[in-house]
């Protein structure tokens, strides 16, 4: 369980293993790799809600709490925040499941807010249906 009592918020969208090829010079997983997994998670959730293609237009309030280690299972959760005329905003939490001594720890490693815009077949913004 998590070291504190906080639990992941949102729907699990991505689960993947951090591999040695994804490390930075310090031996931790590169922050850009974590950010890309979070973007995939948010884009998946936004595309489902938009019922079609979306593109990332903004990433705000990124907080890197703890490093991700090789072998961690990175889990990205998306929770819907708001909808505009053409945009959707999601809070994305990245949690690492890692082996401790005789147990598994689930640790919040990164969180941020991602905004996506709905696109039509030509790649232009399109209005979203009201929900």
């Amino acid at each position: 369980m998590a070291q504190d009592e906080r639990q992941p918020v949102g729907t699990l969208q991505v689960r993947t293993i951090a591999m040695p090829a994804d490390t930075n010079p310090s031996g931790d997983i590169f922050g850009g790799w974590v950010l890309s997994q979070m973007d995939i998670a948010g884009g998946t959730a936004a595309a489902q809600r938009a019922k079609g293609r979306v593109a990332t237009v903004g990433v705000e309030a990124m907080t890197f709490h703890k490093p991700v280690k090789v072998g961690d299972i990175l889990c990205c959760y998306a929770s819907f925040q708001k909808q505009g005329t053409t945009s959707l905003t999601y809070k994305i939490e990245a949690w690492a499941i890692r082996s401790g001594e005789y147990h598994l720890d689930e640790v919040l490693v990164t969180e941020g807010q991602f905004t996506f815009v709905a696109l039509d077949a030509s790649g232009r913004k399109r209005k979203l249906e009201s929900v």
Side-chain angles (χ1 to χ4, degrees):
M1 251 341 178
Q3 291 168 337
D4 56 33
E5 294 302 314
R6 185 168 172 191
Q7 296 293 308
V9 175
T11 303
L12 179 64
Q13 296 291 335
V14 168
R15 178 178 278 186
T16 190
I17 297 174
M19 301 296 283
D22 304 314
T23 58
N24 63 25
S26 300
D28 295 319
I29 297 301
F30 180 57
W33 180 84
V34 176
L35 179 68
S36 72
Q37 300 306 309
M38 295 171 72
D39 190 35
I40 291 168
T44 300
Q48 290 170 345
R49 187 175 184 97
K51 297 180 178 75
R53 185 175 166 197
V54 297
T56 308
V57 293
V59 179
E60 300 175 37
M62 286 296 299
T63 305
F64 291 87
H65 298 287
K66 297 185 179 186
V68 177
K69 308 280 186 192
V70 171
D72 283 353
I73 301 169
L74 186 73
C75 302
C76 297
Y77 297 84
S79 58
F80 175 74
Q81 301 294 296
K82 66 181 178 179
Q83 179 174 320
T85 305
T86 62
S87 66
L88 298 162
T89 302
Y90 283 82
K91 180 178 180 188
I92 310 298
E93 294 183 357
W95 290 72
I97 299 172
R98 59 179 54 133
S99 295
E101 189 172 333
Y102 308 113
H103 65 284
L104 293 177
D105 289 324
E106 190 169 20
V107 180
L108 175 65
V109 291
T110 309
E111 60 187 320
Q113 184 171 290
F114 289 66
T115 302
F116 303 89
V117 66
L119 302 174
D120 65 16
S122 300
R124 290 186 296 263
K125 288 183 188 179
R126 68 174 171 86
K127 287 188 176 184
L128 293 164
E129 298 174 15
S130 297
V131 177

